[in-house]
Amino acid sequence: MHHDTTPTMPTMPTTPMMPATLPVGAPDAAATLAGAHIAGLRGVRAPDGTVVDLDVERGRISAATPTGDRADAPAGLLLDARGWRVLPAACEPHAHLDKALTAARIPAGTGDDLVGAVARWRELAAGIDGADVALRARRAVGRYVARGTTTIRTHVDVPVVGDPLRMLDALLDLRDELAGAVTLQVCLLGGSHTSDAVYLEAAARGVDVLGGCPHLAPDPALEISRVLDLAERTGLPVDLHADEQTALPDAGLLDVEDLAQQVIARGLQQRVTASHAVRLGSLPPARLGPVVDLLARAGLGVVTLPITNLYLQGRDSTHLAPRGLTAVRALLDAGVPLAAGADNVRDPFNPAGTCDPFETTSLLMTAAHLTQREALDAVTAGARTVLGLEPAGPAVGERADLVLVPDVPLGDVLAGGEQARVVLTGGRVVADTRVASVLALDRSAVPTTTDLPDRPAAPAAHRPDQLVR
C-alpha cells in the first residue's frame, strides 16, 4: 500500500522563525511531509555509518555534526530522522522521457533487438504529438522523483514524420515547469536524417545537450565529426549513443575511440559523454587497456545502462550470451568518470523498469560485480560528475538533494528491498512515500470476525502549517 499525499490542513501551527521539530515517522506511517522546507535533519545515519545532525541553509548543507554535540538549532523546521538513513539523491543520467510508458501500445509478447526496437518506435512516433509526450513524461518524472531521483538527463528523438522538434518542445516546457523541484537536462537525439539546421534550431530553443547515434548512421565517423562540429559552433556539451552493440567491427575504430581522438585533437572544452559503450565489454584485455587509457586522456564520461542493454543485446546468441554492459571495472580502475542509469522504461526498448535508482544499483552489483559503494556512486556522485553538475549529498557545502531511506544495512537498500523514501531537493521535500504491508501467513493466527476487537480511530497526523500551499 503506497501513500504519496500532500496535506491541505494544519493541526498545530508553528512559528516560522522558531525551531520546530517534526518526526519523520515510521516507514509505514502516513506520508505527510511533501512540500516542507526544512532547516535540518536530526539523528540521521550518514553514508559513513555515523549518526549526525545536518543543517540546511539556502539549499545546501551548512553543518554536519555528531548528534548531540551542539545545543543550538537553526530557525525553521527540523526533521527528527532517527531510524532513517540519508543518502545523496540519485541522478538518472540517461532517460528517454519521450518514449517512456508506451509499452502498452506494442503487441504483447513481442521483443526486439536494438534495430527492431528502433523500427517499432519510429512507427509509434509518427502518431505521437507534444501533448502525448508531455503527459507520459510527467508521469515518468513523478515515478523517478518518488523513488529518490532529483536530476534527469533525457534524450529526445527527432521524428522523421511531422514537426521534427515537437517532442523537444514538450520536454523543454516540462523542464522549465519543474525547475526548482527537478533538474531536467534535455539532449537532442538526432540521427543521420537530422539536418544541421534542425540541430541549430534546437540550440536556439534552449536544448541543453547535443546527441546522436553514430553506430546507426551509414558513416559513424562522419556522424561523430558532424555532431562535434555543431557542438563547437553552439558551445553545447555532447552525449552520444556510442557502440551500442556487442559485436566488434570487422575493421576500423570503435565509436568511442574515434570520439576520444577527435575530442583530444579539437581540444574540446565542453563535456563529452559516451553512453552505452557496450563494445568495450567485448574487447580482450590487450585491446581494452589502450582504449580505456585513451578515454581517460580525452576526459570522456561513460554511462552504462544495464537493464536496457541486458534486454536488447545478445538476442542472436545461442550460448554464452554477452551481458551487454560496458567494461565498468576497467573504466573505474582507469579513473574514467562512470555513471549508470535505467535508460528506457516500459517502451519498445525495455518492457520493464521502475524508474528506481536501486534497480540500477542491484543490476550493477549482480551483472557488473561492483561493490555496494561503487554501485551507489554510479547513480549519485559519479552520475553528477558525468553530467557536469555540482556535488549533492549530506556533506557540508553540497547541495541538499537527499533521499531518506529506512536505517537498514546499505546492501538491503541498494538491492531494492526498501520502498519507503523521503526525497528532498535543495532542502525541500518533493516526495514522501511510505509502505504498509499486512501479512497473514499463519492460518492458526487468523482471527474470525467474532474475535476482531473494535478498531480505534487512527490518530490525526501532525501537519505543520508550512506544508499548506
Side-chain angles (χ1 to χ4, degrees):
M1 179 178 177
H2 293 262
H3 310 275
D4 194 357
T5 60
T6 301
T8 57
M9 290 292 292
T11 57
M12 293 182 61
T14 60
T15 303
M17 296 306 296
M18 295 296 292
T21 302
L22 179 67
V24 175
D28 61 352
T32 61
L33 299 179
H37 292 264
I38 73 164
L41 298 171
R42 292 297 180 260
V44 70
R45 189 171 302 282
D48 65 1
T50 61
V51 179
V52 299
D53 294 341
L54 302 178
D55 291 352
V56 178
E57 185 176 353
R58 296 186 179 89
R60 297 181 181 275
I61 304 298
S62 58
T65 57
T67 294
D69 276 10
R70 51 183 297 185
D72 61 327
L77 179 65
L78 303 176
L79 294 184
D80 180 349
R82 287 176 293 178
W84 292 81
R85 177 188 286 270
V86 63
L87 299 172
C91 176
E92 174 51 70
H94 188 112
H96 289 269
L97 294 178
D98 56 336
K99 301 178 177 72
L101 310 179
T102 57
R105 304 182 189 185
I106 61 179
T110 60
D112 294 294
D113 60 7
L114 176 62
V115 174
V118 169
R120 193 176 294 277
W121 166 246
R122 285 180 177 171
E123 293 173 0
L124 288 177
I128 289 176
D129 60 15
D132 186 345
V133 170
L135 179 64
R136 289 181 291 98
R138 172 174 276 281
R139 287 174 55 204
V141 169
R143 295 186 186 186
Y144 279 114
V145 175
R147 289 159 173 81
T149 297
T150 60
T151 299
I152 303 167
R153 172 177 287 182
T154 180
H155 297 254
V156 55
D157 273 29
V158 180
V160 178
V161 177
D163 177 2
L165 295 180
R166 65 185 185 273
M167 297 183 180
L168 171 71
D169 288 340
L171 291 182
L172 290 179
D173 288 346
L174 184 63
R175 177 195 66 185
D176 296 342
E177 179 186 339
L178 298 179
V182 181
T183 299
L184 194 62
Q185 292 185 352
V186 182
C187 176
L188 189 74
L189 180 57
S192 57
H193 67 279
T194 306
S195 68
D196 290 2
V198 169
Y199 270 104
L200 294 174
E201 177 59 25
R205 296 188 189 189
V207 75
D208 300 294
V209 187
L210 299 184
C213 284
H215 55 283
L216 297 179
D219 187 338
L222 180 62
E223 189 67 5
I224 291 171
S225 294
R226 187 171 75 100
V227 176
L228 292 182
D229 287 344
L230 291 163
E232 289 186 306
R233 187 170 173 181
T234 61
L236 290 172
V238 173
D239 188 341
L240 293 179
H241 288 56
D243 293 304
E244 197 181 352
Q245 306 104 322
T246 56
L248 297 175
D250 295 332
L253 300 175
L254 301 185
D255 296 343
V256 292
E257 288 181 281
D258 190 355
L259 179 61
Q261 288 182 359
Q262 290 206 45
V263 166
I264 293 172
R266 294 168 182 256
L268 274 180
Q269 299 302 309
Q270 294 103 301
R271 190 169 298 275
V272 178
T273 302
S275 289
H276 298 287
V278 173
R279 279 176 170 156
L280 292 181
S282 298
L283 292 177
R287 176 87 169 84
L288 176 63
V291 176
V292 170
D293 290 343
L294 176 65
L295 268 59
R297 287 191 287 114
L300 263 62
V302 174
V303 181
T304 186
L305 302 155
I307 186 169
T308 295
N309 283 141
L310 285 167
Y311 174 75
L312 291 174
Q313 303 299 322
R315 285 180 170 267
D316 56 350
S317 300
T318 59
H319 62 289
L320 294 177
R323 297 190 179 201
L325 302 181
T326 192
V328 291
R329 173 54 56 201
L331 292 167
L332 286 174
D333 290 347
V336 175
L338 179 74
D343 198 358
N344 300 80
V345 175
R346 300 281 296 132
D347 66 20
F349 297 80
N350 175 21
T354 59
C355 301
D356 192 333
F358 300 135
E359 179 178 55
T360 298
T361 54
S362 176
L363 286 168
L364 289 174
M365 291 187 293
T366 56
H369 302 155
L370 295 192
T371 67
Q372 293 177 13
R373 293 292 174 176
E374 289 170 337
L376 177 61
D377 188 74
V379 300
T380 55
R384 295 186 72 87
T385 296
V386 170
L387 269 56
L389 299 170
E390 62 179 341
V396 173
E398 293 184 338
R399 179 176 168 83
D401 281 19
L402 310 168
V403 56
L404 300 181
V405 296
D407 188 11
V408 298
L410 181 61
D412 290 351
V413 175
L414 300 182
E418 296 295 331
Q419 298 299 312
R421 293 165 205 180
V422 178
V423 186
L424 299 94
T425 295
R428 176 176 175 267
V429 179
V430 292
D432 184 354
T433 300
R434 310 299 174 102
V435 180
S437 298
V438 179
L439 303 178
L441 303 180
D442 186 350
R443 291 175 60 87
S444 65
V446 178
T448 65
T449 54
T450 57
D451 296 329
L452 291 175
D454 293 335
R455 184 185 297 272
H462 169 51
R463 296 185 173 114
D465 63 336
Q466 70 163 318
L467 301 193
V468 182
R469 304 188 181 198

